[in-house]
Coordinates of all heavy atoms in Angstrom, one line a residue:
P264 N 22.6 0.2 -3.7 CA 23.4 0.9 -4.7 C 23.0 2.3 -4.5 O 23.9 3.3 -4.7 CB 22.9 0.4 -6.0 CG 22.3 -0.9 -5.7 CD 21.8 -1.0 -4.4
A265 N 21.8 2.8 -4.1 CA 21.5 4.3 -4.0 C 22.1 4.8 -2.7 O 22.6 6.0 -2.7 CB 20.0 4.3 -3.8
L266 N 22.2 4.0 -1.7 CA 23.0 4.5 -0.5 C 24.4 4.6 -0.7 O 25.1 5.5 -0.1 CB 22.7 3.4 0.6 CG 21.3 3.2 1.2 CD1 21.2 2.3 2.2 CD2 20.7 4.6 1.6
R267 N 24.9 3.9 -1.6 CA 26.4 4.1 -1.9 C 26.6 5.2 -2.8 O 27.5 6.0 -2.8 CB 27.0 2.7 -2.5 CG 27.1 1.6 -1.6 CD 27.9 0.4 -2.1 NE 27.3 -0.1 -3.4 CZ 26.5 -1.0 -3.5 NH1 25.9 -1.6 -2.3 NH2 26.0 -1.5 -4.6
A268 N 25.8 5.2 -4.0 CA 26.1 6.1 -5.0 C 25.6 7.6 -4.9 O 26.2 8.6 -5.3 CB 25.6 5.6 -6.4
Y269 N 24.4 7.7 -4.2 CA 23.8 9.1 -4.2 C 24.8 10.0 -3.4 O 25.0 11.3 -4.0 CB 22.5 9.1 -3.5 CG 22.0 10.4 -3.4 CD1 21.5 11.2 -4.5 CD2 22.1 11.2 -2.2 CE1 21.2 12.4 -4.4 CE2 21.8 12.6 -2.2 CZ 21.2 13.2 -3.2 OH 20.8 14.5 -3.1
P270 N 25.4 9.8 -2.3 CA 26.2 10.8 -1.7 C 27.3 11.2 -2.6 O 27.8 12.5 -2.6 CB 26.8 10.1 -0.5 CG 25.7 9.0 -0.1 CD 25.2 8.6 -1.5
V271 N 28.0 10.3 -3.5 CA 29.0 10.7 -4.4 C 28.4 11.6 -5.5 O 29.0 12.6 -5.9 CB 29.5 9.4 -5.0 CG1 30.7 9.7 -5.9 CG2 30.2 8.5 -3.8
Y272 N 27.3 11.3 -5.9 CA 26.6 12.0 -6.9 C 26.5 13.4 -6.5 O 26.7 14.5 -7.1 CB 25.3 11.4 -7.4 CG 24.4 12.2 -8.2 CD1 24.7 12.5 -9.6 CD2 23.3 12.9 -7.7 CE1 23.8 13.2 -10.4 CE2 22.5 13.6 -8.4 CZ 22.8 13.8 -9.7 OH 21.9 14.6 -10.6
A273 N 25.9 13.4 -5.3 CA 25.4 14.8 -4.6 C 26.7 15.7 -4.4 O 26.5 16.9 -4.5 CB 24.6 14.6 -3.5
A274 N 27.7 15.1 -4.2 CA 29.0 15.9 -3.8 C 29.6 16.5 -5.1 O 30.3 17.4 -5.0 CB 30.0 15.0 -3.2
G275 N 29.2 16.0 -6.3 CA 29.8 16.5 -7.4 C 31.2 16.0 -7.6 O 31.6 15.1 -6.9
G276 N 31.9 16.6 -8.6 CA 33.4 16.2 -8.7 C 33.6 15.2 -9.7 O 32.6 14.7 -10.3
A277 N 34.7 14.6 -9.6 CA 35.0 13.6 -10.6 C 34.2 12.3 -10.6 O 34.0 11.7 -11.6 CB 36.5 13.2 -10.4
G278 N 33.7 12.0 -9.5 CA 33.0 10.6 -9.3 C 31.6 10.8 -9.6 O 30.9 9.7 -9.7
A279 N 31.1 12.0 -9.7 CA 29.7 12.2 -9.8 C 29.0 11.5 -11.0 O 27.8 11.0 -10.9 CB 29.3 13.7 -9.8
E280 N 29.5 11.6 -12.2 CA 29.0 10.9 -13.3 C 28.9 9.5 -13.3 O 27.9 8.8 -13.6 CB 29.8 11.3 -14.6 CG 29.3 10.8 -15.9 CD 30.0 11.2 -17.1 OE1 30.8 12.0 -17.1 OE2 29.6 10.7 -18.3
D281 N 30.0 8.8 -12.8 CA 29.9 7.3 -12.5 C 28.8 7.1 -11.4 O 28.2 5.9 -11.6 CB 31.3 6.8 -12.1 CG 32.4 6.8 -13.2 OD1 31.9 6.8 -14.4 OD2 33.5 6.6 -13.0
A282 N 28.8 7.8 -10.4 CA 27.7 7.6 -9.5 C 26.2 7.7 -10.0 O 25.3 6.9 -9.8 CB 27.9 8.6 -8.3
W283 N 26.1 8.7 -10.9 CA 24.8 8.9 -11.6 C 24.6 7.6 -12.4 O 23.4 7.0 -12.4 CB 24.9 10.0 -12.5 CG 23.6 10.3 -13.3 CD1 22.4 10.8 -12.8 CD2 23.2 9.8 -14.7 NE1 21.5 10.8 -13.9 CE2 22.0 10.2 -14.9 CE3 24.0 9.1 -15.6 CZ2 21.4 10.0 -16.2 CZ3 23.5 8.9 -16.9 CH2 22.1 9.4 -17.1
K284 N 25.5 7.1 -13.2 CA 25.3 5.8 -13.9 C 25.0 4.6 -12.9 O 24.2 3.8 -13.4 CB 26.7 5.5 -14.7 CG 26.9 6.4 -16.0 CD 28.2 6.1 -16.6 CE 28.5 7.1 -17.7 NZ 29.7 6.9 -18.3
T285 N 25.6 4.6 -11.9 CA 25.2 3.5 -10.8 C 23.8 3.6 -10.5 O 23.1 2.6 -10.4 CB 26.3 3.6 -9.7 OG1 27.5 3.4 -10.1 CG2 25.8 2.4 -8.6
M286 N 23.4 4.8 -10.2 CA 21.9 5.1 -9.9 C 21.1 4.7 -10.9 O 20.0 4.0 -10.8 CB 21.5 6.4 -9.6 CG 22.4 7.0 -8.2 SD 21.7 6.5 -6.8 CE 20.2 7.2 -6.8
R287 N 21.4 5.0 -12.2 CA 20.5 4.5 -13.2 C 20.5 3.1 -13.4 O 19.5 2.6 -13.8 CB 21.0 5.3 -14.6 CG 21.0 6.7 -14.6 CD 19.5 7.3 -14.9 NE 19.0 6.7 -16.3 CZ 18.1 5.7 -16.5 NH1 17.4 5.2 -15.6 NH2 17.9 5.5 -17.8
K288 N 21.6 2.4 -13.3 CA 21.7 1.0 -13.4 C 20.9 0.3 -12.5 O 20.3 -0.7 -12.6 CB 23.2 0.6 -13.4 CG 23.4 -1.0 -13.6 CD 24.9 -1.3 -13.5 CE 25.1 -2.9 -13.8 NZ 26.5 -3.3 -13.6
A289 N 20.8 0.9 -11.2 CA 20.0 0.4 -10.1 C 18.6 0.4 -10.4 O 17.7 -0.1 -9.7 CB 20.4 1.1 -8.8
G290 N 18.3 1.3 -11.4 CA 16.7 1.4 -11.7 C 16.2 2.9 -11.6 O 15.1 3.1 -12.0
Y291 N 16.9 3.8 -10.9 CA 16.3 5.0 -10.6 C 16.1 5.8 -12.0 O 17.2 5.9 -12.6 CB 17.1 5.8 -9.6 CG 17.1 5.0 -8.2 CD1 18.1 4.0 -8.0 CD2 16.1 5.1 -7.4 CE1 18.0 3.2 -7.0 CE2 16.1 4.3 -6.2 CZ 17.1 3.4 -6.0 OH 17.0 2.5 -4.8
P292 N 14.9 6.2 -12.3 CA 14.7 6.7 -13.6 C 15.3 8.0 -13.9 O 15.3 8.9 -13.2 CB 13.1 6.7 -13.7 CG 12.7 6.8 -12.3 CD 13.6 6.2 -11.6
A293 N 15.8 8.1 -15.2 CA 16.2 9.5 -15.7 C 15.1 10.4 -15.6 O 14.0 10.2 -15.9 CB 16.8 9.3 -17.1
G294 N 15.4 11.6 -15.1 CA 14.4 12.7 -14.9 C 13.9 12.7 -13.5 O 13.2 13.7 -13.1
S295 N 14.3 11.7 -12.6 CA 13.9 11.7 -11.3 C 14.9 12.3 -10.3 O 14.7 12.4 -9.1 CB 13.5 10.3 -10.7 OG 14.6 9.5 -10.7
E296 N 16.0 12.8 -10.9 CA 17.1 13.3 -10.1 C 16.6 14.4 -9.1 O 17.2 14.5 -7.9 CB 18.2 13.9 -10.9 CG 18.9 12.9 -11.7 CD 18.2 12.6 -13.2 OE1 17.1 13.0 -13.3 OE2 18.9 11.9 -13.9
F297 N 15.6 15.2 -9.5 CA 15.2 16.3 -8.4 C 14.5 15.7 -7.2 O 14.4 16.3 -6.2 CB 14.2 17.2 -9.2 CG 12.8 16.5 -9.6 CD1 11.8 16.8 -8.7 CD2 12.7 15.9 -10.7 CE1 10.5 16.3 -9.1 CE2 11.6 15.4 -11.0 CZ 10.3 15.6 -10.2
L298 N 14.1 14.4 -7.2 CA 13.4 13.7 -6.3 C 14.4 13.1 -5.3 O 14.2 12.5 -4.2 CB 12.6 12.6 -6.6 CG 11.3 13.2 -7.4 CD1 10.5 12.1 -8.0 CD2 10.5 14.1 -6.4
W299 N 15.7 12.8 -5.8 CA 16.8 12.1 -5.1 C 17.1 12.6 -3.7 O 17.3 11.8 -2.8 CB 17.9 11.8 -5.9 CG 17.8 10.9 -7.1 CD1 16.5 10.4 -7.4 CD2 18.6 10.6 -8.1 NE1 16.8 9.6 -8.6 CE2 18.0 9.7 -9.1 CE3 20.0 10.9 -8.4 CZ2 18.5 9.2 -10.2 CZ3 20.5 10.4 -9.5 CH2 19.9 9.6 -10.4
P300 N 17.4 14.0 -3.6 CA 17.7 14.5 -2.3 C 16.7 14.1 -1.1 O 17.1 13.7 0.0 CB 17.8 16.0 -2.4 CG 18.1 16.2 -3.9 CD 17.3 15.0 -4.6
Y301 N 15.4 14.3 -1.6 CA 14.3 13.9 -0.5 C 14.3 12.5 -0.2 O 14.2 12.0 1.0 CB 13.1 14.4 -1.0 CG 11.9 14.2 -0.2 CD1 11.6 15.0 0.9 CD2 11.0 13.1 -0.4 CE1 10.4 14.8 1.7 CE2 10.0 12.8 0.5 CZ 9.7 13.6 1.4 OH 8.7 13.4 2.4
H302 N 14.5 11.7 -1.2 CA 14.4 10.2 -1.1 C 15.6 9.7 -0.1 O 15.5 8.8 0.6 CB 14.3 9.5 -2.3 CG 13.0 9.6 -2.9 ND1 12.4 10.6 -3.4 CD2 12.0 8.6 -3.0 CE1 11.2 10.4 -3.9 NE2 10.9 9.1 -3.7
H303 N 16.7 10.4 -0.3 CA 17.9 10.0 0.4 C 17.7 10.4 1.8 O 18.1 9.7 2.7 CB 19.2 10.7 -0.2 CG 20.4 10.4 0.7 ND1 20.9 11.5 1.5 CD2 21.3 9.4 0.8 CE1 22.1 10.9 2.1 NE2 22.3 9.7 1.7
Q304 N 17.1 11.5 2.1 CA 16.9 12.0 3.4 C 15.7 11.3 4.2 O 16.1 11.0 5.4 CB 16.6 13.5 3.4 CG 16.3 14.0 4.8 CD 15.9 15.5 4.7 OE1 15.5 16.0 3.5 NE2 15.7 16.2 5.8
V305 N 14.8 10.8 3.5 CA 13.7 10.3 4.1 C 13.3 8.8 3.8 O 13.0 8.2 4.8 CB 12.4 11.1 3.6 CG1 11.0 10.6 4.3 CG2 12.5 12.5 4.0
Y306 N 13.6 8.4 2.7 CA 13.2 7.1 2.4 C 14.2 5.8 2.4 O 14.2 4.9 3.0 CB 12.5 7.0 0.9 CG 11.3 7.7 0.7 CD1 11.1 8.5 -0.4 CD2 10.3 7.7 1.6 CE1 9.9 9.2 -0.7 CE2 9.2 8.4 1.4 CZ 8.9 9.1 0.3 OH 7.8 9.8 0.1
W307 N 15.3 6.1 1.5 CA 16.1 5.0 1.2 C 16.8 4.3 2.3 O 16.7 3.1 2.5 CB 17.2 5.4 0.1 CG 16.6 5.8 -1.2 CD1 15.6 5.5 -1.8 CD2 17.2 6.8 -2.1 NE1 15.4 6.1 -3.0 CE2 16.4 6.9 -3.2 CE3 18.5 7.6 -2.1 CZ2 16.7 7.7 -4.3 CZ3 18.8 8.4 -3.1 CH2 17.9 8.5 -4.3
D308 N 17.4 5.2 3.2 CA 18.3 4.5 4.4 C 17.3 3.8 5.3 O 17.6 2.6 5.6 CB 18.9 5.7 5.1 CG 19.7 5.1 6.2 OD1 20.8 4.5 5.9 OD2 19.3 5.3 7.5
L309 N 16.3 4.3 5.8 CA 15.4 3.8 6.8 C 14.7 2.5 6.1 O 14.6 1.5 6.7 CB 14.3 4.6 7.3 CG 13.4 4.1 8.4 CD1 14.0 3.6 9.6 CD2 12.3 5.2 8.7
T310 N 14.2 2.6 4.8 CA 13.5 1.5 4.3 C 14.5 0.3 4.1 O 14.0 -0.8 4.6 CB 13.1 2.0 2.9 OG1 12.2 3.0 3.0 CG2 12.3 0.7 2.2
Q311 N 15.7 0.6 3.6 CA 16.7 -0.6 3.4 C 16.9 -1.2 5.0 O 16.9 -2.5 4.9 CB 18.0 0.0 2.9 CG 19.2 -0.9 3.2 CD 19.1 -2.4 2.4 OE1 18.3 -2.4 1.5 NE2 19.8 -3.2 2.9
R312 N 17.2 -0.4 5.8 CA 17.6 -1.1 7.2 C 16.5 -1.9 7.8 O 16.7 -3.0 8.3 CB 18.0 0.1 8.1 CG 19.4 0.7 7.7 CD 20.0 1.7 8.8 NE 19.1 2.9 8.8 CZ 18.3 3.1 9.8 NH1 18.1 2.2 10.8 NH2 17.6 4.2 9.9
I313 N 15.3 -1.3 7.8 CA 14.3 -2.1 8.5 C 13.7 -3.3 7.7 O 13.4 -4.3 8.3 CB 13.1 -1.2 8.9 CG1 12.3 -0.6 7.7 CG2 13.6 -0.1 9.8 CD1 11.0 0.2 8.3
Y314 N 13.7 -3.3 6.4 CA 13.2 -4.5 5.7 C 14.3 -5.4 5.6 O 14.1 -6.7 5.6 CB 12.7 -4.0 4.3 CG 11.4 -3.4 4.4 CD1 11.2 -2.0 4.7 CD2 10.3 -4.3 4.5 CE1 9.9 -1.5 4.9 CE2 9.1 -3.7 4.6 CZ 8.9 -2.3 4.9 OH 7.7 -1.8 5.1
R315 N 15.7 -5.1 5.6 CA 16.8 -5.9 5.8 C 16.7 -6.6 7.0 O 16.9 -7.9 7.2 CB 18.1 -5.2 5.4 CG 19.3 -6.1 5.3 CD 20.0 -6.5 6.5 NE 20.4 -5.1 7.2 CZ 20.4 -5.1 8.5 NH1 20.1 -6.2 9.3 NH2 20.8 -4.0 9.1
E316 N 16.4 -5.9 8.2 CA 16.4 -6.5 9.5 C 15.3 -7.6 9.4 O 15.4 -8.6 10.2 CB 16.1 -5.4 10.4 CG 16.1 -5.9 11.9 CD 17.5 -6.3 12.5 OE1 18.5 -5.8 11.8 OE2 17.7 -7.0 13.5
E317 N 14.2 -7.4 8.8 CA 13.0 -8.3 8.7 C 13.6 -9.6 7.9 O 13.2 -10.7 8.4 CB 11.9 -7.7 7.9 CG 10.9 -8.7 7.5 CD 10.0 -9.3 8.5 OE1 10.3 -9.1 9.8 OE2 9.1 -10.0 8.2
A318 N 14.3 -9.4 6.8 CA 14.8 -10.6 6.1 C 16.0 -11.2 6.6 O 16.3 -12.4 6.4 CB 14.7 -10.4 4.6
D319 N 17.0 -10.4 7.1 CA 18.4 -10.8 7.4 C 18.9 -10.1 8.6 O 19.8 -9.3 8.6 CB 19.2 -10.3 6.1 CG 20.6 -11.0 6.2 OD1 21.0 -11.6 7.1 OD2 21.4 -10.6 5.1
P320 N 18.3 -10.5 9.8 CA 18.8 -9.9 11.0 C 20.2 -10.1 11.4 O 20.9 -9.3 12.2 CB 17.8 -10.4 11.9 CG 17.4 -11.7 11.3 CD 17.3 -11.6 9.9
D321 N 20.8 -11.1 10.8 CA 22.2 -11.5 11.2 C 23.2 -10.7 10.5 O 24.5 -10.6 10.9 CB 22.4 -12.9 10.9 CG 21.6 -14.0 11.8 OD1 21.3 -13.4 12.9 OD2 21.4 -15.1 11.3
F322 N 22.8 -9.9 9.4 CA 23.8 -9.3 8.7 C 24.7 -8.3 9.5 O 25.9 -8.1 9.3 CB 23.1 -8.4 7.6 CG 24.0 -7.4 7.0 CD1 24.9 -7.9 6.0 CD2 23.8 -6.0 7.1 CE1 25.7 -7.0 5.3 CE2 24.6 -5.1 6.5 CZ 25.6 -5.6 5.5
D323 N 23.9 -7.5 10.5 CA 24.6 -6.6 11.4 C 24.8 -7.1 12.8 O 25.0 -6.2 13.8 CB 23.9 -5.2 11.3 CG 22.4 -5.4 11.8 OD1 21.9 -6.5 11.9 OD2 21.8 -4.3 11.9
G324 N 24.8 -8.3 13.0 CA 25.1 -8.9 14.2 C 24.0 -8.6 15.3 O 22.8 -8.6 15.0
A325 N 24.4 -8.1 16.5 CA 23.5 -7.7 17.5 C 23.0 -6.4 17.3 O 22.0 -6.2 17.9 CB 24.3 -7.8 18.8
T326 N 23.4 -5.7 16.4 CA 22.9 -4.3 16.0 C 21.5 -4.5 15.5 O 21.3 -5.4 14.6 CB 23.7 -3.5 15.1 OG1 25.0 -3.4 15.6 CG2 23.2 -2.0 14.9
E327 N 20.5 -3.7 15.9 CA 19.1 -3.9 15.5 C 18.9 -2.7 14.4 O 19.0 -1.6 14.6 CB 18.1 -3.6 16.5 CG 16.7 -3.9 16.1 CD 15.7 -3.7 17.2 OE1 15.5 -4.7 18.0 OE2 15.1 -2.6 17.4
A328 N 18.7 -3.2 13.1 CA 18.3 -2.4 12.0 C 19.5 -1.4 11.7 O 19.1 -0.3 11.3 CB 17.0 -1.7 12.2
G329 N 20.6 -1.9 11.7 CA 21.8 -1.2 11.2 C 22.1 0.1 11.8 O 21.6 0.5 12.8
T330 N 22.9 0.8 11.1 CA 23.4 2.2 11.6 C 23.0 3.2 10.5 O 23.4 3.1 9.4 CB 25.0 2.2 11.6 OG1 25.3 1.1 12.5 CG2 25.5 3.6 12.2
P331 N 22.2 4.1 11.0 CA 21.7 5.1 10.0 C 22.8 5.9 9.3 O 23.8 6.3 9.9 CB 20.9 6.1 10.9 CG 20.4 5.3 12.1 CD 21.6 4.5 12.4
Y332 N 22.7 6.0 7.9 CA 23.7 6.8 7.2 C 25.1 6.4 7.2 O 25.9 7.2 7.4 CB 23.3 8.2 7.3 CG 22.0 8.6 7.0 CD1 20.9 8.9 7.8 CD2 21.5 8.8 5.6 CE1 19.7 9.2 7.5 CE2 20.3 9.3 5.3 CZ 19.3 9.4 6.1 OH 18.0 9.7 5.8
C333 N 25.3 5.1 7.6 CA 26.8 4.7 7.7 C 27.5 4.9 6.3 O 26.9 4.8 5.3 CB 26.8 3.3 8.2 SG 26.0 2.1 7.2
A334 N 28.8 5.2 6.4 CA 29.7 5.1 5.3 C 30.0 3.8 4.8 O 30.2 2.9 5.7 CB 30.9 6.0 5.6
P335 N 30.1 3.4 3.5 CA 30.5 2.3 3.0 C 31.8 1.9 3.6 O 32.7 2.7 3.9 CB 30.6 2.5 1.4 CG 29.6 3.6 1.1 CD 29.7 4.5 2.4
G336 N 32.0 0.6 4.0 CA 33.2 0.2 4.6 C 33.0 0.0 6.1 O 33.8 -0.6 6.8
T337 N 32.0 0.8 6.7 CA 31.8 0.5 8.1 C 31.2 -0.8 8.2 O 30.4 -1.4 7.6 CB 30.7 1.6 8.5 OG1 31.1 2.9 8.1 CG2 30.4 1.4 10.0
P338 N 31.7 -1.5 9.3 CA 31.2 -3.0 9.6 C 29.7 -3.0 9.6 O 29.0 -2.2 10.4 CB 31.9 -3.4 10.9 CG 33.2 -2.5 10.9 CD 32.8 -1.2 10.2
G339 N 29.0 -3.9 9.0 CA 27.6 -4.1 9.0 C 26.7 -3.0 8.5 O 25.6 -2.7 8.8
C340 N 27.4 -2.3 7.6 CA 26.7 -1.0 7.0 C 25.8 -1.5 5.8 O 26.3 -2.1 4.9 CB 27.8 -0.1 6.4 SG 27.1 1.4 5.7
D341 N 24.7 -1.0 5.8 CA 23.6 -1.3 4.8 C 23.9 -0.9 3.5 O 23.5 -1.4 2.4 CB 22.2 -1.2 5.2 CG 21.5 -2.1 6.2 OD1 21.0 -3.0 5.5 OD2 21.6 -1.8 7.4
A342 N 24.8 0.2 3.3 CA 25.3 0.7 2.0 C 26.0 -0.4 1.4 O 26.1 -0.4 0.1 CB 26.1 2.0 2.2
D343 N 26.7 -1.3 2.1 CA 27.6 -2.4 1.4 C 26.7 -3.7 1.4 O 27.2 -4.7 1.0 CB 28.7 -2.7 2.4 CG 29.7 -1.6 2.4 OD1 29.9 -0.9 1.3 OD2 30.2 -1.4 3.4
Y344 N 25.4 -3.6 1.5 CA 24.7 -5.0 1.7 C 24.6 -5.5 0.2 O 24.3 -4.8 -0.8 CB 23.2 -4.6 2.1 CG 22.3 -5.8 2.3 CD1 22.6 -6.7 3.4 CD2 21.3 -6.2 1.5 CE1 22.0 -7.8 3.7 CE2 20.6 -7.5 1.7 CZ 21.0 -8.2 2.8 OH 20.2 -9.3 3.0
D345 N 24.8 -6.7 0.1 CA 24.8 -7.4 -1.1 C 23.9 -8.7 -1.0 O 24.3 -9.8 -0.6 CB 26.2 -7.9 -1.6 CG 26.3 -8.5 -3.0 OD1 25.2 -8.7 -3.7 OD2 27.4 -9.0 -3.4
Y346 N 22.6 -8.5 -1.4 CA 21.7 -9.7 -1.2 C 22.0 -10.8 -2.0 O 21.8 -11.9 -1.5 CB 20.3 -9.1 -1.8 CG 19.2 -10.0 -1.7 CD1 18.6 -10.3 -0.6 CD2 18.8 -10.7 -2.9 CE1 17.4 -11.2 -0.5 CE2 17.7 -11.7 -3.0 CZ 17.1 -11.9 -1.8 OH 16.1 -12.9 -1.6
A347 N 22.6 -10.8 -3.1 CA 22.9 -11.9 -4.0 C 23.9 -12.9 -3.2 O 23.8 -14.1 -3.5 CB 23.4 -11.5 -5.3
T348 N 24.7 -12.3 -2.4 CA 25.7 -13.1 -1.7 C 25.2 -13.5 -0.2 O 26.1 -14.3 0.4 CB 27.0 -12.4 -1.6 OG1 26.9 -11.2 -0.8 CG2 27.5 -12.0 -3.0
R349 N 24.1 -13.2 0.2 CA 23.7 -13.6 1.4 C 23.4 -15.1 1.6 O 22.9 -15.7 0.6 CB 22.5 -12.7 2.0 CG 22.9 -11.2 2.1 CD 24.1 -11.0 3.0 NE 23.7 -11.4 4.3 CZ 24.5 -11.7 5.4 NH1 25.8 -11.7 5.1 NH2 24.1 -12.0 6.6
P350 N 23.3 -15.7 2.7 CA 23.0 -17.2 2.9 C 21.7 -17.6 2.3 O 20.8 -16.7 2.4 CB 23.2 -17.2 4.4 CG 24.0 -16.2 4.9 CD 23.7 -15.0 4.1
P351 N 21.5 -18.8 2.0 CA 20.4 -19.3 1.5 C 19.2 -19.0 2.5 O 18.0 -18.8 2.0 CB 20.5 -20.8 1.4 CG 22.0 -20.9 1.1 CD 22.6 -19.9 2.0
A352 N 19.3 -19.0 3.8 CA 18.2 -18.7 4.8 C 17.6 -17.4 4.4 O 16.4 -17.2 4.5 CB 18.8 -18.8 6.1
V353 N 18.4 -16.4 4.1 CA 17.8 -15.1 3.8 C 16.9 -15.1 2.6 O 15.8 -14.6 2.6 CB 19.0 -14.0 3.6 CG1 18.4 -12.5 3.1 CG2 19.9 -14.0 4.7

Side-chain angles (χ1 to χ4, degrees):
L266 297 180
R267 292 192 299 271
Y269 175 75
V271 179
Y272 167 79
E280 183 176 356
D281 285 343
W283 179 84
K284 291 178 180 177
T285 297
M286 294 288 294
R287 292 284 296 113
K288 184 177 180 181
Y291 298 91
S295 69
E296 291 87 350
F297 70 98
L298 295 168
W299 294 357
Y301 180 81
H302 283 71
H303 177 256
Q304 179 183 7
V305 177
Y306 293 141
W307 294 334
D308 180 76
L309 181 59
T310 302
Q311 163 63 25
R312 288 187 292 103
I313 66 176
Y314 285 88
R315 191 271 305 151
E316 187 72 14
E317 164 70 352
D319 190 358
D321 293 336
F322 171 73
D323 55 355
T326 303
E327 185 177 280
T330 303
Y332 297 100
C333 54
T337 305
C340 182
D341 276 276
D343 294 324
Y344 190 74
D345 184 1
Y346 175 79
T348 63
R349 297 301 295 157
V353 176

